[in-house]
Amino acid sequence: MAHGNSYFFVGIGGSGMMPLAMILAGQGARVAGSDRSLDQARLPAKFAALEKLGVALFPQDGSGITAAGQIVVASAAIEPTVPDMIAAGRVGAQRMSRADLLSRLFNASPLSIGVAGTSGKSTVTGMIGWVLHAVGRDPTVMNGAVMKNFARDDAPFASALVGRGDVFVSEVDESDGSIALFSPTIAVLNNISLDHKSLAELRALFGDFAGKAAATVINVGDDEAAALAATLPRDKSITFAVEAPADIVAENLVPEPFAISFDLVMGSARARVRLAVPGRHNVANALAAVGAAMAAGVDRDMAIAAISGFTGLKRRFDHVGTAAGVSVIDDFGHNPDKIAATLDTLHAFPGRLLLLFQPHGYGPLKVMRRDLVASVSARLHPGDVLVLPDPVYQGGTVSREVTSADIVADLVAAGADARHIPARDAAAAALVDAARPGDRIVIMGARDDTLSQLAADMLARLAARG
């Protein structure tokens, strides 16, 4: 896709904005941007990485938007009162949402693979990207997380890959309804469960998405996804499931603390696979990636061989390190399904869990309150401790109908050892102080890149304790 325009990203450091800016810059477009975190001198390495790619950075005060020819790209989280948005209106610059721009790039590609579902999108996107890269397809990949396979010392923020091949792989988001903008060649659907929208809304969004695709790779091990699969033409779908009937099946799972092995079965063919990432949910993710690669024309055996080389994503069950006998894990878990997958994976092995969960907003807490409490309370073992600081807040007007304190009250009523410590640093300090050899500390949450630094700081405090 030719880029004759100049793009200005408002909030360029965001997990959905940065990789899109990186792709445009890698394709030769003129890219600039601003970010609140840049103004606050937070996460300087991230912005240094953007500047290294030729991206010009400005304060978020409107000074970077000066001409009507600029296309101003903003996420839904950017309010119209932000100075950059006021400047865009003043100079008459075209405004475009992140989803609008991404969908244009995606839909214009010869072969597009869209990864959807309430959980696992980033991991499956990274897995597909790695498999296609490993077999020489040179894909372009848009992800919401750093892909360890592509990260280097001189390029640590590899949440995007700019390739010269015909394939564009991207996760697509149902939370804001923007999935409706995407018309994939291949649709991948992991699961359907509550996060930001009602199940009725999700069924319609995912159904329309799958209906537009030439082929759909779908998890029939998930009840909601299986119901959707039953409505699709059989010759246009590839089904997968863990220990359940499907076109691609995983059997004989053998978990390890930070890996898992299984038999991948397709008809009479069977291959033993060892993933370098743990958990039953990642086995399902791997099946999705193999199915998508095959739908894109990759040889089955080559796809299966390549998936074992996937090394994971930052903040997806990311083992930060072990100190004083305590392991620290940084994880993106932020909704009932994601948190359940993390807890189930951890409880396959002995050791107490000390959990810090920073909710990713007051609105999501309200939507998922009942399911979150039910899921977490059922999975906390005796001795486990869960601490909730207040939700992440990045500015703007929010309704605070349901708070961390409300969730903790519900969990305590259900018999869980849950505590509300409003300040995040204090919550982290409480867990470090309580930790003893054999424990696992897990930091969970979304929409806040500083959580990774918090995890590293907690590990350093454990190491200093000796």
Side-chain angles (χ1 to χ4, degrees):
M1 185 173 177
H3 301 293
N5 297 298
S6 173
Y7 297 87
F8 190 96
F9 284 73
V10 184
I12 196 168
S15 61
M17 296 283 272
M18 184 173 178
L20 183 53
M22 293 167 69
I23 288 172
L24 285 169
Q27 292 178 343
R30 289 172 291 161
V31 181
S34 67
D35 198 277
R36 208 164 10 213
S37 293
L38 175 67
D39 294 348
Q40 297 167 353
R42 297 164 64 210
L43 304 168
K46 172 181 284 191
F47 299 105
L50 283 167
E51 288 183 313
K52 187 174 179 180
L53 294 175
V55 175
L57 298 175
F58 294 84
Q60 203 169 82
D61 60 4
S63 61
I65 300 173
T66 58
Q70 289 174 289
I71 295 176
V72 176
V73 184
S75 71
I78 301 297
E79 297 188 324
T81 54
V82 170
D84 283 343
M85 303 311 292
I86 294 171
R90 183 173 61 248
V91 303
Q94 178 184 347
R95 279 172 278 189
M96 183 179 291
S97 73
R98 181 199 69 86
D100 282 331
L101 178 55
L102 173 58
S103 64
R104 289 190 189 187
L105 297 176
F106 180 89
N107 293 339
S109 68
L111 198 163
S112 56
I113 303 176
V115 181
T118 313
S119 302
K121 292 187 292 290
S122 296
T123 298
V124 174
T125 299
M127 285 178 166
I128 295 169
W130 168 248
V131 170
L132 293 174
H133 172 83
V135 302
R137 291 289 290 272
D138 199 13
T140 293
V141 183
M142 164 76 192
N143 208 330
V146 173
M147 298 174 281
K148 292 182 179 180
N149 286 97
F150 304 115
R152 308 183 306 271
D153 289 344
D154 62 341
F157 297 95
S159 54
L161 186 66
V162 183
R164 292 182 171 81
D166 63 342
V167 188
F168 193 119
V169 186
S170 180
E171 59 175 305
V172 297
D173 192 5
E174 81 289 344
S175 66
D176 60 359
S178 62
I179 187 174
L181 300 172
F182 293 79
S183 298
T185 311
I186 300 167
V188 182
L189 181 54
N190 258 12
N191 42 57
I192 303 173
S193 62
L194 284 174
D195 191 347
H196 298 83
K197 294 185 178 297
S198 70
L199 278 176
E201 292 174 293
L202 293 173
R203 289 166 184 150
L205 286 169
F206 289 132
D208 290 345
F209 176 72
K212 289 185 285 188
T216 300
V217 181
I218 190 163
N219 181 11
V220 293
D222 176 83
D223 290 343
E224 285 287 340
L228 174 56
T231 69
L232 300 174
R234 192 64 187 90
D235 61 348
K236 291 178 60 178
S237 62
I238 297 174
T239 61
F240 67 92
V242 177
E243 297 178 326
D247 297 326
I248 309 175
V249 178
E251 298 177 348
N252 301 323
L253 279 62
V254 178
E256 302 173 34
F258 297 101
I260 191 165
S261 299
F262 64 95
D263 288 342
L264 190 152
V265 182
M266 295 182 64
S268 61
R270 180 180 295 266
R272 192 66 182 166
V273 177
R274 182 179 184 273
L275 293 178
V277 289
R280 182 187 180 94
H281 60 293
N282 275 321
V283 173
N285 292 338
L287 300 183
V290 169
M294 290 175 58
V298 175
D299 173 76
R300 179 194 66 197
D301 294 339
M302 292 178 69
I304 293 172
I307 197 66
S308 296
F310 176 72
T311 53
L313 305 179
K314 292 285 188 182
R315 300 222 64 237
R316 301 314 192 267
F317 206 98
D318 192 2
H319 183 214
V320 181
T322 300
V326 180
S327 293
V328 177
I329 297 164
D330 186 20
D331 190 63
F332 193 66
H334 64 277
N335 65 32
D337 280 0
K338 289 184 172 74
I339 293 172
T342 296
L343 298 186
D344 288 345
T345 299
L346 286 162
H347 275 312
F349 297 91
R352 188 172 65 141
L353 302 185
L354 304 180
L355 309 167
L356 187 154
F357 170 42
Q358 177 180 270
H360 59 298
Y362 290 92
L365 270 190
K366 180 181 177 181
V367 171
M368 64 186 180
R369 178 177 184 172
R370 180 180 299 177
D371 286 354
L372 177 65
V373 170
S375 179
V376 172
S377 62
R379 287 175 169 82
L380 291 180
H381 287 192
D384 292 347
V385 179
L386 172 64
V387 175
L388 270 75
D390 287 337
V392 62
Y393 176 65
Q394 305 285 15
T397 303
V398 295
S399 172
R400 305 189 182 202
E401 294 178 53
V402 176
T403 67
S404 292
D406 295 323
I407 301 299
V408 166
D410 291 350
L411 287 166
V412 170
D417 187 348
R419 308 166 191 179
H420 174 224
I421 302 179
R424 192 180 76 179
D425 288 347
L431 291 186
V432 170
D433 290 344
R436 57 180 184 255
D439 289 347
R440 283 83 53 84
I441 290 178
V442 188
I443 296 87
M444 295 186 291
R447 296 183 183 170
D448 186 353
D449 291 342
T450 66
L451 286 169
S452 291
Q453 186 58 54
L454 179 69
D457 291 345
M458 293 173 76
L459 181 66
R461 288 188 60 184
L462 287 165
R465 198 176 72 181

